[in-house]
Amino acid sequence: MRPRHALAVASLAVLTACATGPSLENQGAVTESPGDSKHLTIGSAGFTESDLLAQMYALLLQNAGYSTEILSVTNREIYEPALESGQIDVVPEYAATFADWLNAKANGPKAGTVGSPDLAVTMTALRVLATPRGLTVLDAGKAVDQNAFAVSAAFAKKYGLKTLSDLGRSRRPVRLAAGDECVQRPYCEPGLKKTYGIDITAVDPKGVGTTQAKQAVQSGQDQMVLTTTTDGTLDEFGLVLLADDKHLQNADYIVPVVNRSRAGSAGVTKALGKLNSVLTTADLAAMNEQVDSWRRLPEDVARDYLESKGLLPRPGT
């Protein structure tokens, strides 16, 4: 389901040992000019969507005259320092999540949240944290992978539900299939109660967007499941998303993050920026479905998509 190039164990050890990046004391002295290395390493976090994004980045950069390779490093604690050091040049990231991660790295695990539902506010905070580390955060496009909540289509139709506000107003008791942490996370049970007035009677600990969680809602055992906005398998279980109309979730728009000294050039920015004009949340969900449900290779799905949008030449043209 997740075919990809993988780092060897020895390479992982090297990344862990050497990829330290600028020290916290010297962050303000990061002054490298934007680099334009012609061979770029694209990092993937090893799950379907990250593989797809990495493949699209690689193909767009190849079309712009760069040679590329893709490395899969599933642990952000390893791939982010490797990005700082230049062992990885480009990664697809999620704006609010990455901002909070860098904030915790800089200010400790108890640092407050800097990501917010407002994309502009989130991007400003992210760039303030990333720049001293020698990282450049490129512009976000239209696609966002946020936490999301789904109910069965039959349940939605019966009670006239299109939004989470609709569910709150319905006063229907809801058993929620989600991860264990949902009972404490502000975007999950507490937020649903406070922001939307939803009557969460219990959290069924079946994980985030797992098959078991979706089956529980499909069968009626649970009434709602925590998943993501780019989940491509909801139709298989007869589920529909309820809109987060009061913006409980943070702005986890997809953003390319690059090592400034190796990939901060206008050429890289222009090549990757082409995706922003076309890629939507629905597009990503459809591509995820092709990989996860249809068992297509991420590289093939990525290439077909870019060709269909006119961002890559079709064979023979």
Side-chain angles (χ1 to χ4, degrees):
M1 182 170 68
R2 297 174 179 175
R4 58 195 183 271
H5 299 284
L7 284 175
V9 173
S11 297
L12 285 170
V14 170
L15 287 173
T16 305
C18 300
T20 56
S23 68
L24 292 177
E25 293 80 5
N26 296 322
Q27 283 183 17
V30 177
T31 57
E32 294 90 343
S33 298
D36 194 26
S37 173
K38 294 304 179 183
H39 178 78
L40 298 174
T41 300
I42 319 298
S44 166
F47 57 93
T48 295
E49 185 169 289
S50 189
D51 287 345
L52 283 163
L53 290 164
Q55 291 288 352
M56 286 190 283
Y57 289 3
L59 290 166
L60 288 169
L61 288 166
Q62 288 168 20
N63 192 51
Y66 297 87
S67 65
T68 65
E69 64 177 318
I70 295 175
L71 292 179
S72 182
V73 188
T74 58
N75 190 321
R76 187 180 273 118
E77 283 75 10
I78 294 177
Y79 76 67
E80 189 278 330
L83 181 64
E84 289 187 27
S85 72
Q87 291 176 289
I88 293 175
D89 303 306
V90 185
V91 295
E93 264 294 356
Y94 300 89
T97 295
F98 196 46
D100 286 342
W101 194 88
L102 287 180
N103 192 43
K105 183 176 181 179
N107 299 307
K110 295 183 179 180
T113 297
V114 294
S116 84
D118 186 307
L119 177 59
V121 170
T122 297
M123 289 293 287
T124 297
L126 174 54
R127 283 169 167 154
V128 166
L129 289 160
T131 299
R133 294 185 175 276
L135 306 180
T136 297
V137 181
L138 305 186
D139 289 343
K142 307 170 188 175
V144 58
D145 187 350
Q146 295 170 312
N147 294 301
F149 297 91
V151 299
S152 73
F155 185 81
K157 182 177 180 180
K158 182 175 181 179
Y159 297 107
L161 309 177
K162 293 185 178 180
T163 68
L164 290 171
S165 289
D166 291 340
L167 181 56
R169 285 191 293 268
S170 76
R171 304 299 181 192
R172 300 298 309 171
V174 172
R175 181 176 163 95
L176 175 63
D180 291 335
E181 69 280 2
C182 178
V183 296
Q184 297 177 329
R185 295 288 175 85
Y187 66 79
C188 203
E189 180 183 359
L192 291 172
K193 289 180 175 179
K194 180 179 179 180
T195 302
Y196 289 107
I198 296 173
D199 180 15
I200 306 293
T201 59
V203 172
D204 187 4
K206 294 188 182 302
V208 179
T210 63
T211 297
Q212 293 82 0
K214 293 171 192 171
Q215 288 174 336
V217 177
Q218 183 183 39
S219 69
Q221 175 185 344
D222 297 333
Q223 286 70 51
M224 189 162 69
V225 59
L226 170 61
T227 183
T228 67
T229 52
T230 60
D231 188 331
T233 65
L234 295 178
D235 286 347
E236 296 177 27
F237 299 91
L239 306 181
V240 294
L241 292 179
L242 296 181
D244 179 21
D245 54 307
K246 293 184 179 179
H247 306 293
L248 173 62
Q249 305 303 324
N250 283 342
D252 261 330
Y253 284 76
I254 292 158
V255 292
V257 182
V258 305
N259 177 288
R260 174 184 168 85
S261 65
R262 287 184 50 81
S265 69
V268 171
T269 300
K270 181 178 179 180
L272 297 180
K274 291 180 178 180
L275 201 55
N276 288 355
S277 63
V278 298
L279 185 65
T280 65
T281 304
D283 290 343
L284 260 184
M287 285 189 278
N288 285 335
E289 180 184 22
Q290 290 182 55
V291 176
D292 290 337
S293 298
W294 305 358
R295 299 298 187 261
R296 295 192 66 201
L297 294 176
E299 181 176 4
D300 293 340
V301 175
R303 184 181 296 277
D304 286 351
Y305 177 78
L306 294 176
E307 288 177 358
S308 74
K309 297 298 182 179
L311 299 184
L312 285 183
R314 293 184 183 276
T317 63

